[in-house]
Amino acid sequence: GAVVSQHPSRVICKSGTSVKIECRSLDFQATTMFWYRQFPKQSLMLMATSNEGSKATYEQGVEKDKFLINHASLTLSTLTVTSAHPEDSSFYICSARDPSRGPGSGNTIYFGEGSWLTVV
Amino acid sequence: GNSVTQMEGPVTLSEEAFLTINCTYTATGYPSLFWYVQYPGEGLQLLLKATKADDKGSNKGFEATYRKETTSFHLEKGSVQVSDSAVYFCALSLDYKLSFGAGTTVTVRA
C-alpha cells in the first residue's frame, strides 16, 4: 500500500536555530500534503495545506514566516521551523493525498510516522 | 464549521473488558470518518474508517458504524488486551483535511 515517510523521527535543536522536517510519499505522487501539530496530551491541529508548485495555505493563527512549507516536487514537502523556541517543541505529522485512488477522503489520505521536535 | 467530540478519558479497563469510546461529529456535507490510534511514543496509525452512512469499519477487533442519523461513529471492542493501551482519536475528513477529536487515553490492566 501507499507509504508516507517523515524524517527525522526525532530531533533536538537549540533555541534560535532552524530545523527542517521532510515528508515524502514513497510510491505515489502527492499533489497535496497536510501538516499537523500535536501539543502534549492534546489533539492534532491542522497547520497548513501544502500544494505542489504553489504557496502553502496556512490555517488561522499559524505564523507562515515561522513555519515555512515548501512542496517543490510531487513526492516531497518540507516544514522548516525557523528560529525555534522551546514552545515550538511538539509532535509534527504530515499526511498526503494520493489522487490516483479517486475522489473521497476515505481511501486517499496517508499519514507519516510523525516527527518529535524538542527545542532546548 | 466541522468538529469532532469524543468522550473524555482517561479510561481504565481490565483485560477482556468491553470498550466503547463515543464520538459525535458536526460537519457541513458528508464527511468520511476515521479512528486513529497512537501508541506510547509512536506516530498516528489509522485504525479503521467509514466513508458513507451505515458503513462499518473494522480492524483488530475494533468496530465503528457511521450513523448519519445520530452523527456518531462510536468505537467498540468486545475484549480488550493490554496491548490496546493507547490514545484513540476520532476524526472526520472533508476536502482531505482532517479534524480530530481531543483523544481518549485508554489503559488496559492485566
Side-chain angles (χ1 to χ4, degrees):
Chain A
V3 176
V4 174
S5 178
Q6 260 183 261
H7 179 79
S9 57
R10 295 181 183 273
V11 58
I12 300 173
C13 70
K14 291 185 177 180
S15 187
T17 63
S18 296
V19 60
K20 180 185 289 186
I21 301 170
E22 295 184 345
C23 179
R24 293 181 184 274
S25 57
L26 298 184
D27 58 0
F28 65 94
Q29 294 184 328
T31 53
T32 307
M33 293 185 175
F34 303 90
W35 287 96
Y36 296 82
R37 179 178 181 177
Q38 183 184 30
F39 290 98
K41 299 185 178 181
Q42 296 187 30
S43 189
L44 294 92
M45 301 298 294
L46 179 65
M47 298 175 66
T49 302
S50 172
N51 299 298
E52 188 270 335
S54 65
K55 292 183 178 180
T57 303
Y58 290 82
E59 297 298 304
Q60 191 173 8
V62 178
E63 299 176 60
K64 59 182 66 177
D65 294 331
K66 173 76 171 176
F67 300 99
L68 301 180
I69 291 174
N70 183 278
H71 194 155
S73 78
L74 286 170
T75 60
L76 175 64
S77 176
T78 60
L79 168 68
T80 302
V81 183
T82 63
S83 187
H85 290 282
E87 57 264 32
D88 298 325
S89 299
S90 189
F91 179 69
Y92 295 87
I93 191 166
C94 70
S95 69
R97 180 197 164 210
D98 181 358
S100 71
R101 296 176 71 86
S105 306
N107 297 318
T108 65
I109 300 173
Y110 302 95
F111 275 88
E113 308 95 330
S115 300
W116 298 91
L117 170 63
T118 302
V119 184
V120 297
Chain B
N2 304 319
S3 65
V4 176
T5 302
Q6 63 183 99
M7 65 182 272
E8 293 185 16
V11 174
T12 303
L13 301 165
S14 296
E15 213 166 18
E16 299 183 4
F18 184 86
L19 171 68
T20 298
I21 304 176
N22 289 340
C23 171
T24 57
Y25 68 89
T26 302
T28 54
Y30 300 97
S32 294
L33 301 175
F34 305 82
W35 277 99
Y36 285 89
V37 59
Q38 185 176 34
Y39 297 103
E42 297 185 15
L44 212 60
Q45 298 179 30
L46 177 64
L47 181 59
L48 54 84
K49 63 188 178 189
T51 58
K52 61 183 187 296
D54 299 325
D55 268 2
K56 176 186 284 188
S58 61
N59 185 28
K60 298 181 180 180
F62 290 89
E63 292 183 342
T65 301
Y66 190 143
R67 300 290 188 196
K68 183 180 175 183
E69 63 276 14
T70 55
T71 62
S72 65
F73 193 54
H74 305 322
L75 182 69
E76 297 182 337
K77 184 171 184 179
S79 177
V80 295
Q81 304 300 313
V82 172
S83 57
D84 293 324
S85 298
V87 181
Y88 293 83
F89 293 95
C90 185
L92 69 83
S93 178
L94 283 166
D95 297 331
Y96 310 105
K97 301 178 183 180
L98 275 85
S99 297
F100 288 87
T104 302
T105 300
V106 174
T107 302
V108 181
R109 298 179 300 191

